[in-house]
Amino acid sequence: MCFTVLKILRSISCLILFIIPACLYAEEKNPAYRSTQKYFSNLAISIDAIESVVSTDANTCVIPFTQAGKLILVQGRADSMQGNFIFDTGSPDLVLNATYFREYRITAAHDETESSITGEGRNTNRTIVGLFTFGTLDYPNKKVDLVNLGHIENSRQVKILGLLGVELFKDCEVMVDFKNSVIRLHRFNRKDRKQQTSALITDQARYSEFPFEIRESRILVKTKVATKELQFVVDFGAESNVIDSRLPQKVLDAVAVTGRVLLSGTGNKKIEAVTGNIKSFSFADRPEGTLPVIITNLENTCFGSLLCINGVLGHDFLSGYTFVFNFVKRKLYILNEDSVE
């Protein structure tokens, strides 16, 4: 089977990196296939059972999630429309699927464009949602970006209303627990901000603690490849790890090549990229061993505008751990491997 790796990226929002059958794009051109009502009446993935949110108080909740491929899906509501949203820390803020919000008043940002890994681009559209809610969080009069997410829906056979980006959690601590398929969320009030302890971790001895940065609403962490310190973006919306092909040859020599894939952006242009395994990889001073990656040029992506961004950590790495991100204190906690839940 032929595969296409797709990454839709822009100067404002990074979307999803995943591997999909290339033949799906031919089917999209069929009008019957593009009929939303008919297409989604036979979805292979149903998320309707995951509407419950366990709330321990007004600021803390446990939100169950499922996965479509390697994408984390949770329930959210934009005004009267409730459905699946992708937890996507590669996006700086809330993004809505333009397919389902066509009746909203749209404003074009002419000085900003969507940009893909192949260099294609188009103008950005925005609107305002009266009320967006997720777990115990609510955001009135929320400004959002509108992007067509049909390529994700078609490849994963699931209806997607939008993406949940970093800015939504700037006052929060977020635990992503793949073992139990839940996101634990705590919103800090003014009293919480003065506390030095985590709101979600009762036994800090079970976790390793590291600092992280927020730059242009992205999570940046220090890594090491071939003894060289690098900065990677933590992107729960990326199914694969990526390393920049513009890095020094000494770093790229640390990648054992395993094959090639075809990268496709928003237009018809496609480029070939190399896949491989980093032989010795360290994350936040933790030796991690081998890391599978795609090697490609990040210059034309939304991460290209960030200084010294050398790669992306996606699901292939992140799903192996329980992470807690304290966005107020900029602290990252990783559950120690010898700890037992």
Side-chain angles (χ1 to χ4, degrees):
M1 180 182 294
C2 58
F3 288 95
T4 299
V5 179
L6 178 66
K7 179 81 173 180
I8 302 292
L9 310 113
R10 46 166 306 206
S11 59
I12 301 300
S13 298
C14 264
L15 306 187
I16 312 301
L17 172 62
F18 55 90
I19 300 178
I20 62 175
C23 54
L24 284 177
Y25 287 99
E27 293 181 72
E28 280 185 336
K29 297 178 181 180
N30 186 329
Y33 183 84
R34 296 177 60 186
S35 170
T36 303
Q37 183 176 2
K38 179 177 180 181
Y39 177 66
F40 288 116
S41 65
N42 297 304
L43 291 180
I45 299 175
S46 176
I47 316 297
D48 293 339
I50 315 212
E51 296 185 1
S52 60
V53 175
V54 179
S55 178
T56 56
D57 58 51
N59 295 318
T60 306
C61 62
V62 180
I63 304 168
F65 68 78
T66 60
Q67 295 183 71
K70 299 177 182 178
L71 303 176
I72 296 177
L73 300 182
V74 297
Q75 288 287 305
R77 180 185 292 272
D79 287 337
S80 62
M81 189 169 296
Q82 179 171 334
N84 303 312
F85 286 79
I86 297 174
F87 180 68
D88 180 15
T89 56
S91 292
D93 208 338
L94 178 63
V95 175
L96 295 182
N97 190 343
T99 300
Y100 308 110
F101 298 89
R102 292 174 177 172
E103 296 182 359
Y104 282 66
R105 183 177 180 178
I106 296 174
T107 302
H110 297 291
D111 58 339
E112 297 172 359
T113 59
E114 300 175 16
S115 59
S116 81
I117 207 162
T118 59
E120 307 285 343
R122 57 186 178 184
N123 287 336
T124 299
N125 290 326
R126 292 200 176 97
T127 192
I128 297 178
V129 173
L131 180 64
F132 176 73
T133 58
F134 166 67
T136 54
L137 305 182
D138 58 81
Y139 304 87
N141 299 317
K142 179 64 177 174
K143 293 182 180 179
V144 301
D145 290 341
L146 291 174
V147 176
N148 190 326
L149 302 180
H151 59 286
I152 306 175
E153 296 179 309
N154 293 338
S155 67
R156 291 296 175 251
Q157 301 278 290
V158 61
K159 183 177 179 179
I160 302 294
L161 294 186
L163 315 173
L164 306 180
V166 170
E167 279 297 305
L168 296 174
F169 310 106
K170 64 182 181 181
D171 297 325
C172 300
E173 186 172 54
V174 180
M175 174 185 288
V176 185
D177 183 350
F178 281 95
K179 180 180 178 180
N180 297 298
S181 296
V182 295
I183 293 175
R184 303 176 191 272
L185 187 66
H186 177 82
R187 172 177 268 177
F188 290 103
N189 55 36
R190 292 184 178 180
K191 180 180 178 180
D192 289 333
R193 289 172 177 268
K194 298 178 182 179
Q195 297 177 355
Q196 298 300 313
T197 59
S198 166
L200 298 179
I201 300 174
T202 55
D203 183 4
Q204 290 190 311
R206 302 174 65 201
Y207 286 80
S208 300
E209 177 184 323
F210 306 94
F212 68 87
E213 290 185 54
I214 296 290
R215 191 179 302 168
E216 294 186 21
S217 298
R218 271 97 178 193
I219 303 170
L220 308 184
V221 293
K222 292 182 179 180
T223 66
K224 186 177 292 186
V225 176
T227 70
K228 183 174 179 60
E229 291 189 355
L230 305 174
Q231 284 199 109
F232 276 58
V233 174
V234 176
D235 186 356
F236 281 91
E239 294 191 325
S240 300
N241 308 308
V242 181
I243 192 169
D244 198 332
S245 62
R246 296 171 298 167
L247 286 167
Q249 192 60 43
K250 178 183 177 180
V251 175
L252 298 179
D253 285 343
V255 183
V257 175
T258 58
R260 294 181 179 276
V261 292
L262 193 63
L263 300 177
S264 177
T266 54
N268 296 321
K269 183 180 179 180
K270 296 178 176 62
I271 59 174
E272 196 174 54
V274 174
T275 61
N277 295 310
I278 297 177
K279 304 169 187 176
S280 180
F281 177 77
S282 294
F283 170 80
D285 296 329
R286 290 166 53 107
E288 300 294 341
T290 301
L291 181 76
V293 293
I294 294 172
I295 306 173
T296 191
N297 191 323
L298 294 179
E299 181 178 5
N300 292 323
T301 71
C302 63
F303 298 133
S305 64
L306 299 175
L307 296 176
C308 301
I309 297 306
N310 309 121
V312 179
L313 290 174
H315 180 278
D316 288 343
F317 173 77
L318 299 172
S319 60
Y321 300 93
T322 296
F323 290 93
V324 179
F325 297 89
N326 187 320
F327 288 95
V328 174
K329 298 181 175 66
R330 306 288 170 88
K331 294 290 185 181
L332 163 64
Y333 304 90
I334 306 175
L335 181 65
N336 296 323
E337 294 182 1
D338 56 352
S339 298
V340 180
E341 288 286 352

